[in-house]
């Protein structure tokens, strides 16, 4: 047999297991991602009495006392089980360690994954995207064992595990592009045709199978956005990207510190319950702080000022207005009156936006209505100060509670919390920008902020851009301003992080 024939056989075998992995492993991971989503819904239903969705992005109508009890109980139970998992049995390594070759135990990984979904469903402020990635990595290791996949220096096994972890992300959020970029940009840090094709194929299969189990819906509603980009929006993207780059770098630094200072002993048994109680108490007045970040992010995306909407061409449908966190924060019992915005020939806005009428709220013990501008009023220019205050409160609360949750010993991700922080920060900047450039909607500014801050906090611009665009199903033309913001954010965040590292090194050398 010639050397050429041998190489051809090896290439054929390699192509065969890649196809098998894309179809078989991708389908299994997709099923797992879909079932984890259903598990989240089940936990939310039992613990909080609601199920998140496009019509109800957060626990806004859940009684305040139940919010406190749910997240405190969830964190307490998870803290006990995690203590036992980490001290009485084989530890579950991170996905990056699994890619490097460290073994992921089966039942411990499954229990660890389920606990992450459990605390998010109970109301803990942390992302749930790590769970399907870890499940995917564990399944990939068993797949490699079954088919004796090693390759030269273990590179083939490493690639399969990384791609499978990315497929878990792609499956749970129906985001195959983000899943592929997570594998090649963050885990492998190596972009080749084979890795891109492998990653995209498996993530696509996983997303398709997961959607068939959990259903498909747009994760974030951005329909109250202008129809196209503008030159001034490009300028906003450049400036917002820089601001989000600095803030995202700080959030990354904070989350790394929290992760490094998790309790290594029995302190987890009191720290996690305590953080759960704090989360619940904050959620009495800021319910959007609970969960993985969907409610907080949607608050930014749904910030719609009808008085200037006619200039930008933005329109908010009645359904979108009814599901807006601003409407829900205003009491949950209000009636949305008129949700579209248009302008006549003179530029006067003819219709109203998110107008909430009705009784507003009952006792805070019944609803914990939150700090909406004023129940029964429209989001108008006269309320911009209060709107900014609510967004700022949401931003600060989400950032601090998420870092506290990680620091207490909980496991989970920061992708969705990062999107929430970026959306609220982008909306705040957009409200100010709107006074000078009313042709740019606040929703578009929130979209740009979400992608830019996620890019900085993850140091993964391609993954961040694609994940936000896929979760929002934004018009393809908005890749242009979002791409510019992500580029600006990536450069600024790297400069900030490198500066922090230099100062730390200099301080260590002096000491």
């Amino acid at each position: 047999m010639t050397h050429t024939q041998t190489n051809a056989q090896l290439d054929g075998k390699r192509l065969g297991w890649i196809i098998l992995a894309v179809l078989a492993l991708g389908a299994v991971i997709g099923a797992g991602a879909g079932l984890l989503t259903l598990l989240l819904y089940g936990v939310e239903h039992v613990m909080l009495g609601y199920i998140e969705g496009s019509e109800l992005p957060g626990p806004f109508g859940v009684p305040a006392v139940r919010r406190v009890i749910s997240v405190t109980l969830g964190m307490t139970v998870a803290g006990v089980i995690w203590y036992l998992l980490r001290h009485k049995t084989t530890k579950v390594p991170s996905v990056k360690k699994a890619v490097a070759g460290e073994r992921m135990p089966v039942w411990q990984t499954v229990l660890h994954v389920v606990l992450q979904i459990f605390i998010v469903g109970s109301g803990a402020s942390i992302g749930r995207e790590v769970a399907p990635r870890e499940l995917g990595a564990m399944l990939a290791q068993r797949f490699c064992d079954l088919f004796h996949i090693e390759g030269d220096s273990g590179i083939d096994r490493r690639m399969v595990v990384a791609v499978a972890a990315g497929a878990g992300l792609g499956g749970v959020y129906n985001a195959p592009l983000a899943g592929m970029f997570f594998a090649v940009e963050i885990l492998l840090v190596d972009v080749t045709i084979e890795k891109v094709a492998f990653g995209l194929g498996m993530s696509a299969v996983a997303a398709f199978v997961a959607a068939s189990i959990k259903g498909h819906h747009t994760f974030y509603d951005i329909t109250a956005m202008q129809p196209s980009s503008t030159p001034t929006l490009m300028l906003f993207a450049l400036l917002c990207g820089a601001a989000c780059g600095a803030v995202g770098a700080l959030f990354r630094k904070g989350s790394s510190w929290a992760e490094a200072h998790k309790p290594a002993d029995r302190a987890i048994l009191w720290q996690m319950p305590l953080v759960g109680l704090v989360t619940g108490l904050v959620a009495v007045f800021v319910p959007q702080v609970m969960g993985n970040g969907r409610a907080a992010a949607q608050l930014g995306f749904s910030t719609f000022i009808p008085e200037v909407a006619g200039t930008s061409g933005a329109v908010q449908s009645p359904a979108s207005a009814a599901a807006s966190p601003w409407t829900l924060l205003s009491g949950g019992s209000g009636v949305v009156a008129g949700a579209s915005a248009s302008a006549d020939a003179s530029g006067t806005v003819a219709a109203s936006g998110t107008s909430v009428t009705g009784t507003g709220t009952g006792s805070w013990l019944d609803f914990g209505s939150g700090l909406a501008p004023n129940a029964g009023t429209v989001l108008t220019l006269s309320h911009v100060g209060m709107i900014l205050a609510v967004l700022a409160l949401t931003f600060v609360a989400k950032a601090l509670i998420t870092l506290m949750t990680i620091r207490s010993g909980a496991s989970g991700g920061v992708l969705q919390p990062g999107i929430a922080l970026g959306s609220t920060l982008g909306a705040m900047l957009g409200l100010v920008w709107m006074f000078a450039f009313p042709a740019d909607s606040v929703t578009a500014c929130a979209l740009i902020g979400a992608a830019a801050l996620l890019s900085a906090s993850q140091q993964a611009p391609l993954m961040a851009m694609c994940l936000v665009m896929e979760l929002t199903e934004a018009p393809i033309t908005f890749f242009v301003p979002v791409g510019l913001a992500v580029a600006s954010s990536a450069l600024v965040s790297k400069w900030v992080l490198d500066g922090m590292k230099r100062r730390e090194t200099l301080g260590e050398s002096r000491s």
Side-chain angles (χ1 to χ4, degrees):
M1 183 179 294
T2 65
H3 182 69
T4 302
Q5 290 174 323
T6 302
N7 285 339
Q9 289 181 350
L10 291 175
D11 289 342
K13 182 179 179 181
R14 182 183 183 86
L15 180 61
W17 67 250
I18 285 179
I19 294 174
L20 179 63
V22 165
L23 298 177
L25 187 56
V28 173
I29 292 173
L35 292 175
L36 287 177
T37 301
L38 296 182
L39 175 63
L40 174 71
Y41 296 159
V43 173
E44 288 175 337
H45 177 70
V46 172
M47 299 294 286
L48 288 165
Y50 95 108
I51 297 176
E52 71 173 58
S54 55
E55 296 181 355
L56 189 60
F60 296 102
V62 177
V65 172
R66 187 167 184 173
R67 296 177 204 164
V68 177
I69 294 174
S70 173
V71 67
T72 304
L73 178 61
M75 291 285 277
T76 300
V77 172
V80 172
I81 299 177
W82 262 320
Y83 172 77
L84 296 175
L85 272 179
R86 294 168 185 173
H87 294 85
K88 304 299 181 181
T89 185
T90 305
K91 291 184 179 180
V92 179
S94 67
V95 169
K96 286 189 176 182
K97 290 181 178 179
V99 171
E102 194 165 336
R103 192 74 169 173
M104 299 192 78
V106 177
W107 71 263
Q108 292 94 330
T109 299
V110 173
L111 182 56
H112 175 66
V113 163
V114 169
L115 282 176
Q116 294 175 56
I117 301 298
F118 174 69
I119 62 170
V120 173
S122 301
S125 179
I126 198 167
R128 63 183 172 100
E129 66 279 348
V130 172
R133 298 199 309 245
E134 291 177 335
L135 181 63
M138 185 272 290
L139 291 172
Q141 288 184 342
R142 272 53 192 185
F143 178 87
C144 291
D145 292 343
L146 180 63
F147 292 97
H148 306 289
I149 296 171
E150 293 297 338
D152 297 332
S153 302
I155 187 65
D156 288 345
R157 175 180 286 260
R158 178 172 177 266
M159 180 173 67
V160 173
V161 174
V163 165
L169 173 65
V172 78
Y173 287 132
N174 196 32
L177 285 174
M180 178 270 292
F181 278 122
F182 177 83
V184 301
E185 189 178 25
I186 295 179
L187 296 179
L188 296 172
V189 198
D190 181 28
V191 180
T192 67
I193 292 294
E194 182 181 67
K195 291 181 177 65
V196 169
F198 190 18
L200 188 57
M202 190 182 296
S203 289
V205 171
F208 176 80
V209 173
S212 68
I213 294 174
K214 64 183 178 65
H216 172 76
H217 63 273
T218 304
F219 200 81
Y220 291 120
D221 177 15
I222 60 166
T223 53
M225 189 171 69
Q226 66 206 67
S228 60
S229 180
T230 64
T232 53
L233 189 63
M234 293 294 289
L235 177 60
F236 175 84
L238 186 65
L239 300 175
C240 178
C244 288
V247 175
L250 294 175
F251 183 62
R252 179 181 178 86
K253 193 71 175 177
S255 59
S256 297
W257 175 88
E259 188 70 36
H261 288 81
K262 283 184 175 181
D265 52 19
R266 293 185 178 181
I268 192 176
L269 297 175
W270 65 265
Q271 289 187 14
M272 282 189 62
L274 178 61
V275 170
L277 177 61
V278 172
T279 302
L281 294 175
V282 171
V284 168
F285 303 101
V286 193
Q288 63 270 26
V289 79
M290 298 184 79
N292 65 351
R294 183 174 189 171
Q298 192 59 60
L299 185 75
F301 292 135
S302 296
T303 304
F304 179 77
I305 310 297
E307 292 166 281
V308 296
T311 305
S312 66
V315 175
Q316 188 178 43
S317 69
S320 178
S324 167
W326 293 104
T327 303
L328 300 169
L329 277 173
S330 294
S333 58
V335 178
V336 177
S340 63
S342 60
D344 58 22
S346 63
T348 303
V349 176
S352 62
T354 308
S355 173
V356 182
T357 61
T359 58
T361 77
S363 165
W364 64 270
L365 285 173
D366 293 330
F367 295 101
S369 60
L371 301 177
N374 271 314
T377 63
V378 186
L379 295 188
T380 64
L381 291 176
S382 62
H383 289 104
V384 164
M386 186 61 76
I387 297 170
L388 282 169
V390 175
L391 289 167
L393 176 63
T394 302
F395 176 89
V396 173
K398 189 64 182 176
L400 292 179
I401 295 297
T402 299
L403 296 180
M404 288 173 59
T405 302
I406 297 172
R407 171 64 178 80
S408 72
S411 293
V414 290
L415 288 186
Q416 289 296 344
I419 291 175
L421 296 179
S423 173
T424 50
L425 179 57
M428 285 188 280
L429 297 174
L431 282 169
V432 177
W433 185 263
M434 176 188 66
F435 283 98
F437 305 102
D440 299 326
S441 65
V442 178
T443 301
C445 297
L447 174 70
I448 288 170
L453 197 145
L454 183 63
S455 167
S457 65
Q458 294 294 309
Q459 290 295 283
L462 296 175
M463 185 277 295
M465 178 173 62
C466 290
L467 180 60
V468 172
M469 294 293 285
E470 286 176 305
L471 288 174
T472 59
E473 297 186 6
I476 195 71
T477 55
F478 280 88
F479 261 112
V480 177
V482 169
L484 179 61
V486 165
S488 174
S489 172
L491 290 174
V492 170
S493 63
K494 187 177 187 304
W495 177 74
V496 171
L497 291 170
D498 287 347
M500 289 180 177
K501 189 174 182 179
R502 285 194 298 269
R503 285 191 292 271
E504 289 175 357
T505 303
L506 183 61
E508 291 175 357
S509 62
R510 287 178 176 177
S511 61

